[in-house]
Amino acid sequence: MPEKPEVITVARKLEKKIINKKITDVKILYPKMIDYPDIQTFKENIKNQVIHSITTRGKWIVLQLDRDYLLFHLRMEGKFFFREKKDEINKHEHVIFELDNEEELRFADVRKFGRTMLIPKDKLYTMKPYAELGLEPWDENLNALYLKEKYKNKKIPIKTVLLDQSIMTGIGNIYADEILFLSNINPLTKPCDLTDVDLNHIIKNTIKVLDKAIEEGGTTIRSYTSEEGVTGLFQNNLNVHQRENEKCHVCGNTIIKIRVGGRGTYYCPKCQKEKKSI
DNA sequence: AGTGCGACCCGAACGC
DNA sequence: TGCGTTCGGGTCGCAC
């Protein structure tokens, strides 16, 4: 499930193959994957632009082209494949970028949830998604004061708020559970009830979990181990996620699973006690 | 504005 | 074995 570590891992892999390549044409087999602009404009504008750099912002992969930025969101199962132009197109390959060599970059997604957009450079920061993204976890402006301000009126569970990309970007369902475990915070805690110590723990552990996951090349759960799909190793470091009824690595208690904001949520009821209401 | 939830997808896992 | 049902994942849009 691509969260920030998986997105970074994919971007690093792509970088080696696409820098300075020209996109000569694009085939769009599933038009809904194009979020912006309309299909025709997307096709016309992308033609003959060279890829200069690749980076990430939140869970987005951002390619800098001559005139535009090309953005990709992998959602749950978006993947990239490099194929020879003559190779048969797989049924899950939905947007195909022809390059100025024998290869094509194919954007594939079994679930068809992945998205791509082509945004003029001068519009990047004023339109979605950039305009609404919160701070990267490593941003020096991300501190307890920032979170305190964002959380002060929040009464929904902290687990849900960690997934809110407009506050802090890059965290998904897996790492949210892990961050809360390391911080000894119950996933149902109201953000407005968190202490400064809690907030600092959240920041510290977010960086800790994401850095470790990046180092491990992401997490592979429910993997469809397609050859170029990212198969990371962080699953071996998971403390709570997907460990229902297993023993807590710290206290030996049984990990339980509940639903929070419609999401499967795993935690240790002993290590992550609910705050007593005052 | 904040919140809650269905919709978008479809393969895998589950239940019978 | 085969079939039908449920689940999950990130984000958006709509209703309250």
Side-chain angles (χ1 to χ4, degrees):
Chain A
M1 312 307 136
E3 303 179 33
K4 190 72 178 183
E6 292 75 23
V7 172
I8 287 177
T9 305
V10 170
R12 285 178 181 171
K13 283 185 136 187
L14 278 184
E15 184 171 27
K16 294 179 184 148
K17 303 205 71 168
I18 57 170
I19 299 300
N20 294 326
K21 294 282 189 306
K22 184 191 279 185
I23 298 171
T24 52
D25 208 351
V26 61
K27 285 204 268 296
I28 300 167
L29 306 172
Y30 185 73
K32 280 176 125 177
M33 290 188 106
I34 313 294
D35 252 358
Y36 182 90
D38 62 276
I39 309 300
Q40 213 46 47
T41 311
F42 185 96
K43 275 188 177 186
E44 286 166 14
N45 288 2
I46 202 165
K47 245 181 230 182
N48 295 321
Q49 292 204 54
V50 172
I51 301 165
H52 296 291
S53 71
I54 177 166
T55 182
T56 68
R57 175 76 177 100
K59 296 175 190 172
W60 289 87
I61 291 171
V62 182
L63 306 194
Q64 188 197 162
L65 311 183
D66 292 326
R67 296 186 309 279
D68 300 307
Y69 286 105
L70 177 60
L71 274 57
F72 293 98
H73 198 300
L74 307 175
R75 295 290 185 93
M76 278 80 72
E77 305 205 18
K79 289 179 172 63
F80 292 101
F81 297 102
F82 283 93
R83 291 282 183 267
E84 302 268 307
K85 283 169 179 155
K86 58 181 165 52
D87 290 347
E88 201 169 314
I89 293 170
N90 177 282
K91 69 169 175 173
H92 299 308
E93 297 167 351
H94 305 301
V95 185
I96 298 179
F97 301 87
E98 295 180 8
L99 304 175
D100 57 348
N101 58 9
E102 290 312 303
E103 286 191 317
E104 307 182 314
L105 173 65
R106 299 183 179 180
F107 187 35
D109 189 343
V110 171
R111 298 273 180 278
K112 295 182 173 174
F113 277 178
R115 292 292 180 263
T116 180
M117 350 178 36
L118 188 68
I119 301 181
K121 284 189 177 171
D122 60 350
K123 285 189 182 167
L124 184 66
Y125 293 95
T126 53
M127 64 182 280
K128 282 189 184 183
Y130 259 64
E132 301 188 0
L133 289 175
L135 298 179
E136 296 286 331
W138 301 271
D139 193 311
E140 59 182 19
N141 296 312
L142 178 60
N143 51 40
L145 200 64
Y146 172 83
L147 287 187
K148 201 170 190 169
E149 175 66 20
K150 294 286 186 184
Y151 288 180
K152 68 179 181 188
N153 294 321
K154 295 273 185 197
K155 294 182 172 56
I156 57 175
I158 180 64
K159 162 71 185 274
T160 304
V161 169
L162 284 181
L163 301 176
D164 181 343
Q165 302 296 304
S166 72
I167 298 176
M168 185 169 28
T169 64
I171 299 169
N173 202 39
I174 297 172
Y175 299 125
D177 285 354
E178 296 300 313
I179 290 161
L180 290 174
F181 173 79
L182 292 181
S183 304
N184 297 114
I185 295 171
N186 186 284
L188 294 171
T189 309
K190 294 187 183 106
C192 59
D193 287 344
L194 292 170
T195 63
D196 286 0
V197 171
D198 290 329
L199 298 176
N200 281 315
H201 281 165
I202 287 176
I203 295 166
K204 187 187 75 183
N205 290 317
T206 297
I207 291 170
K208 184 176 170 182
V209 166
L210 297 186
D211 278 347
K212 178 68 177 167
I214 291 165
E215 187 187 319
E216 299 276 355
T219 300
T220 309
I221 286 183
R222 238 155 53 89
S223 81
Y224 294 79
T225 49
S226 30
E227 62 259 68
E228 282 157 89
V230 172
T231 46
L233 298 169
F234 190 76
Q235 60 276 18
N236 303 324
N237 297 74
L238 294 176
N239 281 301
V240 286
H241 195 82
Q242 297 247 313
R243 296 192 66 241
E244 187 182 17
N245 293 328
E246 293 178 39
K247 298 274 178 242
C248 171
H249 292 141
V250 172
C251 75
N253 216 309
T254 304
I255 304 296
I256 61 173
K257 179 184 184 183
I258 59 174
R259 289 192 87 75
V260 179
R263 293 282 165 259
T265 298
Y266 303 80
Y267 72 102
C268 169
K270 195 168 169 189
C271 291
Q272 297 167 266
K273 287 204 170 69
E274 289 183 53
K275 282 193 193 297
K276 293 194 182 73
S277 43
I278 304 160

